[in-house]
Amino acid sequence: MNSKPAGGFVRESLARQYLSYYDGQLRTDAETPSAVKVQRLGPLRLINFAGGQGFITYPHITPTDDTHLASLVGEALAYFREQPEINGVEWKSRGHDYEPGLHEQLLAHGFAADASESIMVGRAADLIAETPLPAGVRLRQVVSETDVRAMTAMQDRTFGEAVSTHHAEAILRRLATADGMQLWVAEDSTGEILSAGRLEPVPGTDFAGIWGGATVAAHRGQGIYRALTAARARAALELGKTLIHSDSTEYSRPILERYGLLKVSTTTPYRWSRTQH
């Protein structure tokens, strides 16, 4: 007798459905709306982003596909190596793809694996909740260069990284494309940013992504990030986006699960840097 609770079957069925939406709608050109150049290599999409960043992605690969991703690593990397303006390359893998030997070939060609993250998907409507904010804290959307630089500096510090002008400039370049990305912050009465995150509606799909979520350590557990997530979900619905997706660390995954998102797979970014080779 199978003792798995009925709720578990429902969640698994829903997660499979969400994963099919993710593969069908997001693993296309919709995945990289800010690409400045796209080159095809078999199933691979080789992407150039502004600022000298390369990116490699592809549709879902199954055992029945006549595709051997591992055999394409060298040629894909050579494509970017021949472009002196490219400083680094990310190969974005997914845990539910059929990719025997890929990990070994990526390492052999100088890529290093980052920590795996959970691919989270759920309904935007499930993320909406009336969450009271601490006294003096307000939410708002930001667009000015001053606000963007303050926001990215807070995110860098919160993630334990050095404050980076590169991070701010990448976001400013993205804003300049007017592709629909929204930046949301929570700030106190003095204007100090306590929490922040992006909303990225994906054209031609049911999806919007929530990214870059960060809250200053001293202000966690006060409902601020919950309220910020709800605000982004409302904005997504206003744009006609009914599904939310995000790649989450093991710190943020349980938070998003409490909000109603489901883990549908994993993603592991592999990175190559010209300065290290």
Side-chain angles (χ1 to χ4, degrees), residues 17-62:
Q17 184 179 52
Y18 285 161
L19 182 58
S20 71
Y21 295 156
Y22 173 89
D23 283 334
Q25 296 190 36
L26 294 181
R27 299 182 68 178
T28 67
D29 287 337
E31 184 180 6
T32 52
S34 58
V36 297
K37 182 180 177 183
V38 180
Q39 178 67 39
R40 301 280 180 171
L41 175 61
L44 304 183
R45 294 171 55 247
L46 311 180
I47 310 297
N48 288 55
F49 288 126
Q53 291 300 305
F55 185 76
I56 301 171
T57 186
Y58 38 92
H60 176 45
I61 306 295
T62 73

Short mmCIF file of all heavy atoms in Angstrom, two decimals, residues 17-62:
data_model
loop_
_atom_site.label_atom_id
_atom_site.label_comp_id
_atom_site.label_asym_id
_atom_site.label_seq_id
_atom_site.Cartn_x
_atom_site.Cartn_y
_atom_site.Cartn_z
N GLN A 17 3.78 19.85 -13.93
CA GLN A 17 3.09 20.76 -14.84
C GLN A 17 3.85 22.08 -14.96
O GLN A 17 4.06 22.60 -16.07
CB GLN A 17 1.67 21.03 -14.34
CG GLN A 17 0.83 21.89 -15.27
CD GLN A 17 -0.57 22.09 -14.70
OE1 GLN A 17 -0.74 22.49 -13.55
NE2 GLN A 17 -1.57 21.81 -15.52
N TYR A 18 4.28 22.61 -13.82
CA TYR A 18 5.05 23.85 -13.84
C TYR A 18 6.35 23.68 -14.62
O TYR A 18 6.78 24.58 -15.35
CB TYR A 18 5.37 24.29 -12.41
CG TYR A 18 4.21 24.89 -11.64
CD1 TYR A 18 4.25 24.96 -10.25
CD2 TYR A 18 3.08 25.39 -12.28
CE1 TYR A 18 3.21 25.51 -9.52
CE2 TYR A 18 2.03 25.94 -11.56
CZ TYR A 18 2.10 26.00 -10.18
OH TYR A 18 1.08 26.55 -9.46
N LEU A 19 7.00 22.52 -14.45
CA LEU A 19 8.26 22.28 -15.15
C LEU A 19 8.03 22.26 -16.67
O LEU A 19 8.86 22.76 -17.43
CB LEU A 19 8.90 20.98 -14.68
CG LEU A 19 10.25 20.63 -15.30
CD1 LEU A 19 11.28 21.73 -15.04
CD2 LEU A 19 10.76 19.29 -14.77
N SER A 20 6.92 21.68 -17.09
CA SER A 20 6.64 21.67 -18.53
C SER A 20 6.42 23.09 -19.05
O SER A 20 6.83 23.42 -20.17
CB SER A 20 5.42 20.80 -18.83
OG SER A 20 4.22 21.39 -18.38
N TYR A 21 5.78 23.95 -18.25
CA TYR A 21 5.61 25.35 -18.63
C TYR A 21 6.98 26.04 -18.70
O TYR A 21 7.25 26.83 -19.62
CB TYR A 21 4.73 26.09 -17.63
CG TYR A 21 3.30 25.63 -17.56
CD1 TYR A 21 2.55 25.84 -16.41
CD2 TYR A 21 2.68 24.98 -18.62
CE1 TYR A 21 1.23 25.43 -16.31
CE2 TYR A 21 1.36 24.56 -18.54
CZ TYR A 21 0.64 24.78 -17.39
OH TYR A 21 -0.66 24.36 -17.28
N TYR A 22 7.80 25.76 -17.70
CA TYR A 22 9.14 26.36 -17.64
C TYR A 22 9.96 25.99 -18.88
O TYR A 22 10.54 26.85 -19.55
CB TYR A 22 9.84 25.88 -16.36
CG TYR A 22 11.29 26.27 -16.22
CD1 TYR A 22 11.65 27.47 -15.61
CD2 TYR A 22 12.31 25.42 -16.66
CE1 TYR A 22 12.99 27.82 -15.46
CE2 TYR A 22 13.64 25.77 -16.51
CZ TYR A 22 13.97 26.97 -15.92
OH TYR A 22 15.29 27.31 -15.78
N ASP A 23 9.99 24.69 -19.20
CA ASP A 23 10.76 24.25 -20.37
C ASP A 23 10.17 24.80 -21.66
O ASP A 23 10.91 25.23 -22.56
CB ASP A 23 10.79 22.72 -20.44
CG ASP A 23 11.76 22.09 -19.47
OD1 ASP A 23 12.75 22.75 -19.09
OD2 ASP A 23 11.54 20.92 -19.07
N GLY A 24 8.85 24.79 -21.77
CA GLY A 24 8.22 25.19 -23.01
C GLY A 24 8.24 26.68 -23.28
O GLY A 24 8.38 27.11 -24.43
N GLN A 25 8.13 27.49 -22.21
CA GLN A 25 8.01 28.93 -22.40
C GLN A 25 9.31 29.70 -22.16
O GLN A 25 9.54 30.73 -22.81
CB GLN A 25 6.93 29.49 -21.47
CG GLN A 25 5.54 28.97 -21.77
CD GLN A 25 4.48 29.74 -20.98
OE1 GLN A 25 4.59 30.94 -20.76
NE2 GLN A 25 3.45 29.03 -20.53
N LEU A 26 10.13 29.23 -21.24
CA LEU A 26 11.29 30.03 -20.84
C LEU A 26 12.60 29.62 -21.51
O LEU A 26 13.52 30.43 -21.59
CB LEU A 26 11.47 29.98 -19.32
CG LEU A 26 10.35 30.62 -18.50
CD1 LEU A 26 10.66 30.52 -17.02
CD2 LEU A 26 10.17 32.09 -18.89
N ARG A 27 12.70 28.39 -21.99
CA ARG A 27 13.99 27.96 -22.53
C ARG A 27 14.03 28.21 -24.03
O ARG A 27 14.26 27.32 -24.84
CB ARG A 27 14.25 26.51 -22.14
CG ARG A 27 14.31 26.35 -20.63
CD ARG A 27 14.61 24.96 -20.19
NE ARG A 27 15.96 24.58 -20.51
CZ ARG A 27 16.51 23.41 -20.20
NH1 ARG A 27 15.78 22.50 -19.56
NH2 ARG A 27 17.75 23.12 -20.52
N THR A 28 13.81 29.45 -24.37
CA THR A 28 13.77 29.94 -25.75
C THR A 28 14.47 31.29 -25.74
O THR A 28 15.12 31.66 -24.76
CB THR A 28 12.31 30.11 -26.22
OG1 THR A 28 11.71 31.18 -25.46
CG2 THR A 28 11.49 28.84 -26.01
N ASP A 29 14.30 32.07 -26.81
CA ASP A 29 14.84 33.42 -26.83
C ASP A 29 14.27 34.27 -25.70
O ASP A 29 14.87 35.27 -25.31
CB ASP A 29 14.56 34.10 -28.17
CG ASP A 29 15.42 33.55 -29.30
OD1 ASP A 29 16.50 32.99 -29.00
OD2 ASP A 29 15.03 33.67 -30.47
N ALA A 30 13.11 33.87 -25.17
CA ALA A 30 12.50 34.60 -24.07
C ALA A 30 13.39 34.60 -22.82
O ALA A 30 13.27 35.47 -21.97
CB ALA A 30 11.15 34.00 -23.71
N GLU A 31 14.30 33.64 -22.74
CA GLU A 31 15.17 33.53 -21.56
C GLU A 31 16.19 34.67 -21.48
O GLU A 31 16.65 35.02 -20.40
CB GLU A 31 15.91 32.19 -21.60
CG GLU A 31 16.77 31.91 -20.40
CD GLU A 31 17.47 30.58 -20.48
OE1 GLU A 31 17.38 29.89 -21.52
OE2 GLU A 31 18.12 30.21 -19.48
N THR A 32 16.53 35.25 -22.63
CA THR A 32 17.61 36.24 -22.66
C THR A 32 17.17 37.48 -23.44
O THR A 32 17.70 37.79 -24.50
CB THR A 32 18.86 35.64 -23.30
OG1 THR A 32 18.50 35.05 -24.58
CG2 THR A 32 19.47 34.56 -22.42
N PRO A 33 16.20 38.23 -22.89
CA PRO A 33 15.66 39.38 -23.63
C PRO A 33 16.67 40.50 -23.85
O PRO A 33 16.50 41.30 -24.78
CB PRO A 33 14.50 39.85 -22.75
CG PRO A 33 14.86 39.38 -21.38
CD PRO A 33 15.55 38.07 -21.59
N SER A 34 17.71 40.57 -23.03
CA SER A 34 18.69 41.66 -23.17
C SER A 34 19.92 41.24 -23.96
O SER A 34 20.93 41.93 -23.96
CB SER A 34 19.11 42.17 -21.79
OG SER A 34 19.65 41.12 -21.00
N ALA A 35 19.85 40.10 -24.68
CA ALA A 35 20.98 39.66 -25.50
C ALA A 35 21.27 40.69 -26.59
O ALA A 35 20.36 41.25 -27.19
CB ALA A 35 20.67 38.31 -26.14
N VAL A 36 22.56 40.92 -26.84
CA VAL A 36 22.94 41.82 -27.93
C VAL A 36 23.37 41.03 -29.17
O VAL A 36 23.47 41.58 -30.27
CB VAL A 36 24.07 42.77 -27.51
CG1 VAL A 36 23.61 43.66 -26.37
CG2 VAL A 36 25.33 42.01 -27.08
N LYS A 37 23.58 39.71 -29.00
CA LYS A 37 23.97 38.86 -30.12
C LYS A 37 23.65 37.42 -29.75
O LYS A 37 23.88 37.00 -28.61
CB LYS A 37 25.46 39.02 -30.42
CG LYS A 37 25.98 38.21 -31.59
CD LYS A 37 27.48 38.47 -31.76
CE LYS A 37 28.09 37.65 -32.87
NZ LYS A 37 29.56 37.88 -32.97
N VAL A 38 23.14 36.65 -30.71
CA VAL A 38 22.81 35.24 -30.48
C VAL A 38 23.36 34.42 -31.63
O VAL A 38 23.13 34.73 -32.80
CB VAL A 38 21.29 35.02 -30.38
CG1 VAL A 38 20.99 33.54 -30.13
CG2 VAL A 38 20.68 35.87 -29.27
N GLN A 39 24.12 33.37 -31.30
CA GLN A 39 24.66 32.45 -32.29
C GLN A 39 24.20 31.04 -31.95
O GLN A 39 24.22 30.64 -30.78
CB GLN A 39 26.19 32.51 -32.30
CG GLN A 39 26.87 31.57 -33.26
CD GLN A 39 26.59 31.92 -34.72
OE1 GLN A 39 26.56 33.08 -35.08
NE2 GLN A 39 26.39 30.92 -35.54
N ARG A 40 23.79 30.28 -32.94
CA ARG A 40 23.36 28.90 -32.72
C ARG A 40 24.52 27.94 -32.95
O ARG A 40 25.31 28.10 -33.88
CB ARG A 40 22.23 28.55 -33.69
CG ARG A 40 21.00 29.44 -33.56
CD ARG A 40 20.12 29.03 -32.41
NE ARG A 40 18.95 29.89 -32.29
CZ ARG A 40 17.94 29.67 -31.48
NH1 ARG A 40 17.95 28.60 -30.71
NH2 ARG A 40 16.92 30.50 -31.43
N LEU A 41 24.59 26.92 -32.10
CA LEU A 41 25.53 25.81 -32.27
C LEU A 41 24.78 24.55 -31.88
O LEU A 41 24.68 24.21 -30.71
CB LEU A 41 26.78 26.01 -31.39
CG LEU A 41 27.80 24.86 -31.40
CD1 LEU A 41 28.36 24.63 -32.80
CD2 LEU A 41 28.92 25.13 -30.40
N GLY A 42 24.23 23.85 -32.88
CA GLY A 42 23.34 22.73 -32.58
C GLY A 42 22.19 23.23 -31.74
O GLY A 42 21.56 24.24 -32.07
N PRO A 43 21.90 22.60 -30.60
CA PRO A 43 20.81 23.07 -29.74
C PRO A 43 21.21 24.26 -28.87
O PRO A 43 20.35 24.88 -28.24
CB PRO A 43 20.53 21.85 -28.86
CG PRO A 43 21.86 21.18 -28.73
CD PRO A 43 22.52 21.36 -30.08
N LEU A 44 22.50 24.57 -28.83
CA LEU A 44 22.98 25.63 -27.95
C LEU A 44 22.64 27.01 -28.51
O LEU A 44 22.68 27.24 -29.71
CB LEU A 44 24.49 25.55 -27.76
CG LEU A 44 25.10 24.26 -27.24
CD1 LEU A 44 26.61 24.41 -27.06
CD2 LEU A 44 24.44 23.85 -25.92
N ARG A 45 22.34 27.91 -27.59
CA ARG A 45 22.24 29.33 -27.91
C ARG A 45 23.40 30.01 -27.23
O ARG A 45 23.51 30.00 -26.00
CB ARG A 45 20.91 29.92 -27.45
CG ARG A 45 19.71 29.34 -28.20
CD ARG A 45 18.37 29.77 -27.60
NE ARG A 45 18.24 31.19 -27.52
CZ ARG A 45 18.18 31.90 -26.40
NH1 ARG A 45 18.28 31.28 -25.22
NH2 ARG A 45 18.05 33.20 -26.41
N LEU A 46 24.31 30.58 -28.01
CA LEU A 46 25.49 31.28 -27.51
C LEU A 46 25.16 32.77 -27.49
O LEU A 46 24.96 33.39 -28.53
CB LEU A 46 26.70 31.00 -28.39
CG LEU A 46 26.96 29.52 -28.72
CD1 LEU A 46 28.20 29.38 -29.60
CD2 LEU A 46 27.09 28.69 -27.46
N ILE A 47 25.11 33.33 -26.29
CA ILE A 47 24.59 34.69 -26.09
C ILE A 47 25.71 35.65 -25.73
O ILE A 47 26.54 35.35 -24.88
CB ILE A 47 23.54 34.70 -24.96
CG1 ILE A 47 22.49 33.62 -25.16
CG2 ILE A 47 22.92 36.08 -24.83
CD1 ILE A 47 21.66 33.74 -26.38
N ASN A 48 25.71 36.83 -26.36
CA ASN A 48 26.56 37.93 -25.93
C ASN A 48 25.69 38.94 -25.20
O ASN A 48 24.66 39.38 -25.73
CB ASN A 48 27.22 38.63 -27.11
CG ASN A 48 28.31 37.81 -27.75
OD1 ASN A 48 28.09 36.68 -28.15
ND2 ASN A 48 29.48 38.39 -27.88
N PHE A 49 26.11 39.28 -23.98
CA PHE A 49 25.46 40.36 -23.24
C PHE A 49 26.38 41.58 -23.25
O PHE A 49 27.61 41.45 -23.39
CB PHE A 49 25.19 39.95 -21.79
CG PHE A 49 24.08 38.96 -21.63
CD1 PHE A 49 24.28 37.78 -20.93
CD2 PHE A 49 22.81 39.21 -22.13
CE1 PHE A 49 23.26 36.86 -20.75
CE2 PHE A 49 21.78 38.30 -21.95
CZ PHE A 49 22.00 37.13 -21.26
N ALA A 50 25.78 42.75 -23.05
CA ALA A 50 26.58 43.96 -22.90
C ALA A 50 27.50 43.82 -21.69
O ALA A 50 27.16 43.15 -20.72
CB ALA A 50 25.66 45.18 -22.72
N GLY A 51 28.66 44.43 -21.77
CA GLY A 51 29.61 44.35 -20.66
C GLY A 51 30.56 43.19 -20.73
O GLY A 51 31.28 42.91 -19.77
N GLY A 52 30.58 42.48 -21.88
CA GLY A 52 31.58 41.43 -22.07
C GLY A 52 31.24 40.10 -21.44
O GLY A 52 32.15 39.32 -21.11
N GLN A 53 29.96 39.79 -21.29
CA GLN A 53 29.56 38.53 -20.69
C GLN A 53 28.97 37.59 -21.74
O GLN A 53 28.11 37.98 -22.53
CB GLN A 53 28.52 38.76 -19.59
CG GLN A 53 29.09 39.47 -18.38
CD GLN A 53 30.23 38.68 -17.73
OE1 GLN A 53 30.07 37.52 -17.38
NE2 GLN A 53 31.39 39.31 -17.58
N GLY A 54 29.44 36.34 -21.73
CA GLY A 54 28.89 35.31 -22.59
C GLY A 54 28.00 34.38 -21.77
O GLY A 54 28.18 34.23 -20.56
N PHE A 55 27.05 33.74 -22.44
CA PHE A 55 26.06 32.91 -21.75
C PHE A 55 25.67 31.78 -22.70
O PHE A 55 25.46 32.02 -23.90
CB PHE A 55 24.84 33.75 -21.39
CG PHE A 55 23.78 33.06 -20.58
CD1 PHE A 55 23.96 32.82 -19.23
CD2 PHE A 55 22.59 32.67 -21.16
CE1 PHE A 55 22.98 32.20 -18.47
CE2 PHE A 55 21.59 32.06 -20.43
CZ PHE A 55 21.79 31.82 -19.07
N ILE A 56 25.58 30.57 -22.18
CA ILE A 56 25.23 29.40 -22.99
C ILE A 56 24.03 28.71 -22.37
O ILE A 56 24.04 28.35 -21.20
CB ILE A 56 26.41 28.41 -23.08
CG1 ILE A 56 27.64 29.10 -23.69
CG2 ILE A 56 26.03 27.18 -23.89
CD1 ILE A 56 28.92 28.27 -23.61
N THR A 57 23.00 28.52 -23.19
CA THR A 57 21.80 27.86 -22.73
C THR A 57 21.21 27.05 -23.88
O THR A 57 21.70 27.12 -25.01
CB THR A 57 20.78 28.87 -22.18
OG1 THR A 57 19.66 28.19 -21.60
CG2 THR A 57 20.30 29.82 -23.25
N TYR A 58 20.16 26.28 -23.61
CA TYR A 58 19.61 25.36 -24.60
C TYR A 58 18.27 24.84 -24.11
O TYR A 58 17.96 24.93 -22.92
CB TYR A 58 20.57 24.18 -24.85
CG TYR A 58 21.26 23.69 -23.60
CD1 TYR A 58 20.73 22.66 -22.83
CD2 TYR A 58 22.46 24.27 -23.17
CE1 TYR A 58 21.36 22.22 -21.68
CE2 TYR A 58 23.10 23.84 -22.01
CZ TYR A 58 22.54 22.82 -21.27
OH TYR A 58 23.17 22.39 -20.13
N PRO A 59 17.45 24.27 -25.02
CA PRO A 59 16.17 23.69 -24.60
C PRO A 59 16.38 22.40 -23.82
O PRO A 59 17.49 21.87 -23.73
CB PRO A 59 15.44 23.44 -25.93
CG PRO A 59 16.53 23.28 -26.92
CD PRO A 59 17.63 24.20 -26.47
N HIS A 60 15.30 21.90 -23.26
CA HIS A 60 15.35 20.65 -22.50
C HIS A 60 15.87 19.50 -23.38
O HIS A 60 15.41 19.32 -24.51
CB HIS A 60 13.95 20.33 -21.98
CG HIS A 60 13.85 19.03 -21.26
ND1 HIS A 60 14.77 18.61 -20.31
CD2 HIS A 60 12.92 18.03 -21.34
CE1 HIS A 60 14.42 17.43 -19.84
NE2 HIS A 60 13.31 17.05 -20.44
N ILE A 61 16.82 18.74 -22.86
CA ILE A 61 17.42 17.61 -23.57
C ILE A 61 16.99 16.31 -22.90
O ILE A 61 17.13 16.15 -21.68
CB ILE A 61 18.96 17.70 -23.58
CG1 ILE A 61 19.42 19.07 -24.12
CG2 ILE A 61 19.56 16.56 -24.38
CD1 ILE A 61 19.08 19.31 -25.56
N THR A 62 16.46 15.38 -23.69
CA THR A 62 16.00 14.09 -23.16
C THR A 62 16.87 12.97 -23.72
O THR A 62 17.62 13.18 -24.69
CB THR A 62 14.53 13.83 -23.56
OG1 THR A 62 14.47 13.53 -24.96
CG2 THR A 62 13.66 15.05 -23.26
#
